[in-house]
Amino acid sequence: MRVSASTRERLIETAERLYARQGMEATSLRSITAAAEANLAAIHYHFGSKEALTEEVFSRRLVPINDERLERLDEVEAAAGESAAPLESILEAFLGPALRRSVDPDYADFIRLMGRMYSEPSAALQALIGRQFEGIIRRFSAALARTLSHLPAAEVHWRFHFCVGSMVHTISDPARIERVSGGLCDPSDVEGTTARLIAFLAAGLKAPATTTGRGEP
Amino acid sequence: MRVSASTRERLIETAERLYARQGMEATSLRSITAAAEANLAAIHYHFGSKEALTEEVFSRRLVPINDERLERLDEVEAAAGESAAPLESILEAFLGPALRRSVDPDYADFIRLMGRMYSEPSAALQALIGRQFEGIIRRFSAALARTLSHLPAAEVHWRFHFCVGSMVHTISDPARIERVSGGLCDPSDVEGTTARLIAFLAAGLKAPATTTGRGEP
DNA sequence: GTCTATATCCTGATAGAC
DNA sequence: GTCTATCAGGATATAGAC
């Protein structure tokens, strides 16, 4: 956080940091303004409400990440030409822009927050997430469906859903894997984590189609 | 919720329901006692604090689920005898006890809450989760490592971590997959969801070992 | 065990001086 | 744009009658 940043910017950056570390509900406007060395009234002057500040925190970061995802997917599909893009490349286009930023000091807090945002009860935030990810889900599902053309569309959606879950769990609390593995796993190795995640998810996506469970008559 | 249940039980059941639907921080003691048709002071009489009530909510449900997981794993390993247990059976032992309960009216709310509990900032809750899952993680990691004996221990931990993420994302909000798939996917088909998840995760677990990304000299 | 009443503190939000 | 002071209400927790 630059000391020379404007009050408005400092408030957004501070809110992001505290949201990521303590949760959004647990973070009061007073704690934000105190940490940002600003006045309590400044939040209402610059944003109007806590909810509006929260929307700024998210849209500011989600837009560049999701734009980069779409750019990468464009490149991947262009490189594949007429044929379907490789799963690993599609996954890299989706995971890379988020995972790579998890070690960028400017982005690390938001990436954790991004892992927790799905669990936030705020209806306004869930609506914003829906808007921000609508295009992403449509484009990536379509790309996956082209490569996995032997699978029903619903199956592709399920598997992409499972992929998102693994990613979210991985970025929401990097220290967790270190704890549960007794120190065996090193979450600071982002390249390694990304490679592992892509290998795992690509294999899952390539799994043979399952019967619905009603089979074997 | 039975009308004849004791005040203490009604408070736990109501807290569970409201926690699952609105989040824990967003749920006040007042809203719990109002919905449970009890007095505000009853919570402090029966539990002493909101935190203590929360611990009751979780330990009451986590213990039977995790006990069943360990029982199923015992059965799976006994059936395998000297050889390593099949991945699909290990996954079924882990996922089944949670997923099956997601359609049990008595358990459905808690299963959703279970999907969100990892994102809760409360240190006391995170400590409880750590205690409740310590044995589970140790036993299942060991079982997976036996079957995946060609993989380094750290890799097994990473992949189990990814499995947990997919499950958590799937159970934390059943309606999400229906929304993002435009109604193509039906989360109420629990047997189908479990089969899909197991097939996806088993394939991921079986993926060839990756180099760390430093490879190809 | 259950109740009323209240203590104490914190929340988001606002009015108005500077 | 930034400040002080304050509002109105909600939060957890407690004391003490019944």
Side-chain angles (χ1 to χ4, degrees):
Chain A
M1 192 180 68
R2 303 177 299 286
V3 274
S4 59
S6 71
T7 298
R8 188 190 145 88
E9 266 186 89
R10 278 200 335 271
L11 288 171
I12 297 179
E13 290 167 3
T14 307
E16 174 180 273
R17 192 174 69 247
L18 296 181
Y19 283 176
R21 299 186 184 180
Q22 329 174 332
M24 283 169 43
E25 289 253 22
T27 302
S28 68
L29 298 186
R30 278 174 173 79
S31 67
I32 296 170
T33 50
E37 295 180 86
N39 189 274
L40 173 59
I43 287 185
H44 293 93
Y45 174 78
H46 286 287
F47 307 98
S49 69
K50 183 181 183 180
E51 193 173 272
L53 165 61
T54 302
E55 296 206 14
E56 282 291 319
V57 167
F58 280 92
S59 56
R60 177 180 78 128
R61 301 293 204 184
L62 286 179
V63 168
I65 292 175
N66 283 345
D67 281 355
E68 190 188 330
R69 283 171 161 159
L70 293 178
E71 280 172 36
R72 303 252 165 188
L73 183 57
D74 284 342
E75 293 169 12
V76 163
E77 295 196 314
E82 294 293 299
S83 50
L87 288 181
E88 286 80 0
S89 304
I90 299 174
L91 286 169
E92 157 64 32
F94 183 74
L95 303 170
L99 285 171
R100 223 171 299 116
R101 284 176 171 83
S102 67
V103 284
D104 176 345
D106 184 47
Y107 258 96
D109 279 320
F110 181 75
I111 298 300
R112 291 192 50 183
L113 181 55
M114 199 175 153
R116 294 172 179 232
M117 71 184 178
Y118 289 105
S119 304
E120 291 290 342
S122 153
L125 178 58
Q126 291 306 320
L128 183 140
I129 293 173
R131 289 195 302 276
Q132 294 286 343
F133 282 89
E134 203 179 356
I136 291 287
I137 289 169
R138 197 175 49 244
R139 286 273 282 117
F140 276 86
S141 296
L144 290 173
R146 222 166 8 249
T147 304
L148 301 169
S149 55
H150 58 292
L151 292 178
E155 186 68 35
V156 174
H157 274 284
W158 273 111
R159 293 187 184 186
F160 185 43
H161 191 66
F162 300 151
C163 291
V164 172
S166 292
M167 185 200 70
V168 163
H169 195 65
T170 300
I171 65 179
S172 68
D173 181 6
R176 187 187 299 129
I177 179 67
E178 203 167 1
R179 277 200 310 275
V180 303
S181 71
L184 269 178
C185 301
D186 173 20
S188 70
D189 172 21
V190 174
E191 271 185 58
T193 301
T194 307
R196 285 187 181 90
L197 192 46
I198 289 176
F200 178 86
L201 298 177
L205 289 170
K206 286 174 190 163
T210 53
T211 61
T212 59
R214 295 190 241 284
E216 296 123 56
Chain B
M1 191 179 68
R2 304 177 298 286
V3 276
S4 60
S6 70
T7 298
R8 188 189 146 88
E9 266 186 89
R10 280 202 330 274
L11 288 171
I12 297 178
E13 289 167 2
T14 306
E16 176 180 272
R17 192 174 69 247
L18 296 182
Y19 283 177
R21 299 185 184 181
Q22 328 175 333
M24 284 170 43
E25 289 253 21
T27 302
S28 68
L29 298 186
R30 278 175 174 79
S31 66
I32 296 170
T33 51
E37 294 180 88
N39 189 276
L40 173 59
I43 286 185
H44 292 93
Y45 174 78
H46 286 288
F47 307 99
S49 69
K50 182 182 183 179
E51 192 173 271
L53 164 61
T54 302
E55 296 207 12
E56 283 290 319
V57 167
F58 279 92
S59 56
R60 177 180 77 128
R61 300 294 204 184
L62 287 179
V63 168
I65 292 174
N66 283 345
D67 281 354
E68 191 188 327
R69 283 172 161 158
L70 293 177
E71 279 172 36
R72 303 254 165 186
L73 183 57
D74 284 341
E75 292 169 12
V76 162
E77 295 196 315
E82 292 294 300
S83 50
L87 288 181
E88 286 81 0
S89 304
I90 299 174
L91 286 170
E92 157 66 30
F94 183 74
L95 303 170
L99 285 171
R100 224 171 298 115
R101 285 175 171 84
S102 66
V103 284
D104 176 345
D106 184 47
Y107 259 95
D109 280 320
F110 181 76
I111 299 301
R112 289 191 52 184
L113 182 54
M114 201 174 150
R116 294 172 179 234
M117 72 185 176
Y118 288 105
S119 302
E120 290 291 341
S122 153
L125 178 58
Q126 292 306 320
L128 182 140
I129 292 172
R131 288 195 302 277
Q132 293 287 342
F133 282 89
E134 201 179 356
I136 292 287
I137 289 169
R138 198 175 48 244
R139 285 274 281 117
F140 276 86
S141 296
L144 290 174
R146 223 166 8 249
T147 304
L148 301 169
S149 55
H150 58 294
L151 291 179
E155 186 69 34
V156 174
H157 274 283
W158 274 111
R159 295 187 182 187
F160 185 44
H161 191 66
F162 300 150
C163 292
V164 171
S166 293
M167 184 200 70
V168 164
H169 195 66
T170 301
I171 65 178
S172 67
D173 181 6
R176 187 186 298 129
I177 179 69
E178 204 168 1
R179 275 199 313 275
V180 303
S181 71
L184 270 177
C185 301
D186 173 20
S188 69
D189 172 20
V190 175
E191 271 185 58
T193 301
T194 308
R196 285 187 182 90
L197 193 45
I198 288 176
F200 178 87
L201 298 177
L205 290 170
K206 286 174 190 163
T210 53
T211 62
T212 59
R214 293 190 243 281
E216 295 124 55

